[in-house]
Amino acid sequence: MGELDFQNAVKEISTAAAYLKQSGAPHVGVVGFCMGGALALGSLAASPDIDAGAPFYGLNRGLFDVKTLMKPVQGHFGAEDTMEGFSDPLTGRKLAQDLTRAGNEHAEAYVYEDVGHAFMNDSPAPWTSFEARQKEMGFPPYRADRAEMAWTRLLSFFDLWLKSYEHVEL
């Protein structure tokens, strides 16, 4: 993650979104997990072609300005995530709070109890078990019920903002 050129990655995602729009996609959304969550939010802010975004446990406030990000945002965070300032629950709640205070009427963040970072990952790889992953990384084991709840919320969010609404400038 330390080697990634975040600004260039945001440009590449924005270019992909522009291609989708030019190819006839009426709406484009972006979702990402961990570093991808940070890139999803940065791309949402940077690209006029991305209509809604959903970061899962990952933020990089250097990639967006809460005062100007007025597009729909739905964040997902684990209550047991300990990566302060990047993906912990306080960071997720603060994201939604700051966006709302800045005037974004379509910002929300969910915090899921009894899960931590990478809670959507149903595989412990590269570890041999969730117990081994927890011992080394501190991430609680996968909870299918929490992941299912998050997938349901994400798909409903994208259904609302990408499928069923007429695009309006926010």
Side-chain angles (χ1 to χ4, degrees):
M1 208 161 59
E3 305 270 332
L4 180 69
D5 179 343
F6 277 84
Q7 295 296 338
N8 191 55
V10 165
K11 287 179 189 172
E12 289 177 356
I13 295 167
S14 298
T15 298
Y19 173 80
L20 290 171
K21 286 279 182 97
Q22 291 165 5
S23 297
H27 309 292
V28 175
V30 63
V31 62
F33 302 84
C34 187
M35 175 179 58
L39 292 171
L41 207 50
S43 300
L44 177 64
S47 174
D49 297 305
I50 301 176
D51 300 296
F56 277 77
Y57 38 82
L59 298 182
N60 179 337
R61 287 194 176 246
L63 297 177
F64 68 97
D65 180 356
V66 294
K67 294 179 186 126
T68 59
L69 180 53
M70 296 298 151
K71 298 175 187 177
V73 174
Q74 185 184 78
H76 300 268
F77 301 86
E80 306 302 318
D81 194 321
T82 59
M83 295 185 182
E84 290 183 21
F86 179 68
S87 57
D88 64 289
L90 181 61
T91 298
R93 289 184 185 106
K94 186 167 174 24
L95 169 68
Q97 182 182 49
D98 290 350
L99 288 169
T100 301
R101 283 184 180 159
N104 186 329
E105 297 176 6
H106 308 291
E108 58 190 350
Y110 293 100
V111 175
Y112 300 86
E113 296 301 319
D114 304 318
V115 293
H117 197 79
F119 76 87
M120 295 295 284
N121 191 348
D122 63 355
S123 168
W127 294 271
T128 57
S129 68
F130 284 109
E131 292 76 20
R133 183 183 81 170
Q134 185 170 14
K135 184 177 179 181
E136 186 172 331
M137 299 298 294
F139 301 168
Y142 175 72
R143 293 274 311 261
D145 59 330
R146 301 302 193 260
E148 180 62 33
M149 184 184 302
W151 279 122
T152 299
R153 287 173 171 164
L154 173 67
L155 295 175
S156 293
F157 173 76
F158 279 155
D159 208 32
L160 173 66
W161 294 107
L162 304 179
K163 183 177 174 185
S164 63
Y165 88 107
E166 292 298 317
H167 181 74
V168 294
E169 291 299 320
L170 297 175

